[in-house]
Amino acid sequence: MALKSDATSWGSVAKFFHWAIVLLILTQAVIGLVMVELPKRPSSIPVYSFHKSLGITILALAVLRLVWRLFDTRPRDVPGMPHWQALGARFGHALLYALIFAVPLSGWLFDSASSLRPLYWFNLFPMPNLTGGKNEAVKEWAEGAHELLFWVLILVAAGHAAAALVHHFHNRDETLARMLPWRSRARGLS
Ligand code: HEM
Ligand code: HEM
């Protein structure tokens, strides 16, 4: 399987980043929503630490993905796609890229401004404090932004997934098939 994308199919690196980030965001969403319902006790701290470390991992993957995307080709739109649809997809993708940065960054900003405990990535490496210490105004703003941006991400991703399914089952084109991890380039061309 080729690493790079070409005119008709996504390469394995682009597919890896896409599906790894989807799976981690779904896992992270469940942890986040359950975590905020837990009683505020010391026993909840490891769950928060895990959420923060996994979130930083998603942010790192998003950075690597964007860097890879700058050097990778983007497959052409499938034949017969109306211009407005191609534009809509491009706008949706740009928004999704922005959100996979904005959601973890707002969480990190909230954690920094709260300054409850130093932040460690999986108890291994210290992470910088983005606000240089406690900051009540940023804390309140970032907490609201983290929750709101998360729901915007879920909404845009749901629309994006629905569009992929319409392409597959209604238009019966290659849009979804060529992003699936188990589809090889040879079949993608058929
Ligand atoms: C893509 C990555 C992330 C996703 C999808 C995500 C998702 C969520 C969700 C769904 C909640 C619950 C919101 C609510 O109902 O109040 C939450 C809360 C929280 N997240 Fe994240 N998060 C991510 C990254 C991060 C990062 C990187 C950090 C910190 C380094 C972080 C820190 C927090 C904290 C501290 C809370 C609790 C907020 C509160 O007490 O109100 N998150 N997150
Ligand atoms: C958190 C969830 C998701 C995020 C953040 C996300 C993000 C993205 C982004 C940013 C792109 C553009 C790639 C690029 O141009 O470099 C993309 C493409 C794509 N995604 Fe997703 N995605 C998510 C979920 C899904 C799901 C659930 C499906 C399938 C049901 C899906 C199917 C696709 C397909 C088929 C493409 C290629 C579109 C094309 O060739 O024009 N995505 N996704």
Side-chain angles (χ1 to χ4, degrees), residues 28 32 35 51-52 55-56 103-104 107-108 110 143 146-147 150:
Q28 181 75 335
M35 168 182 100
H51 178 85
K52 293 172 197 175
I56 301 279
V103 172
W108 188 358
F110 170 62
E143 184 176 19
H146 190 52
E147 191 181 356
F150 164 73

Side-chain angles (χ1 to χ4, degrees), residues 47-131:
V47 185
Y48 275 80
S49 301
F50 186 78
H51 178 85
K52 293 172 197 175
S53 296
L54 193 62
I56 301 279
T57 310
I58 295 172
L59 181 61
L61 282 172
V63 172
L64 293 175
R65 180 179 184 183
L66 197 66
V67 170
W68 176 260
R69 175 68 156 81
L70 297 178
F71 296 101
D72 201 19
T73 344
R74 188 192 183 282
R76 277 194 302 265
D77 294 322
V78 292
M81 189 153 151
H83 185 59
W84 66 265
Q85 231 179 61
L87 270 182
R90 224 49 112 250
F91 177 73
H93 294 164
L95 201 56
L96 286 169
Y97 269 119
L99 286 162
I100 59 176
F101 281 84
V103 172
L105 273 174
S106 57
W108 188 358
L109 201 60
F110 170 62
D111 182 69
S112 298
S114 311
S115 273
L116 290 176
R117 293 172 290 281
L119 178 60
Y120 277 84
W121 184 76
F122 291 112
N123 279 333
L124 292 172
F125 308 108
M127 299 302 298
N129 184 302
L130 301 178
T131 51

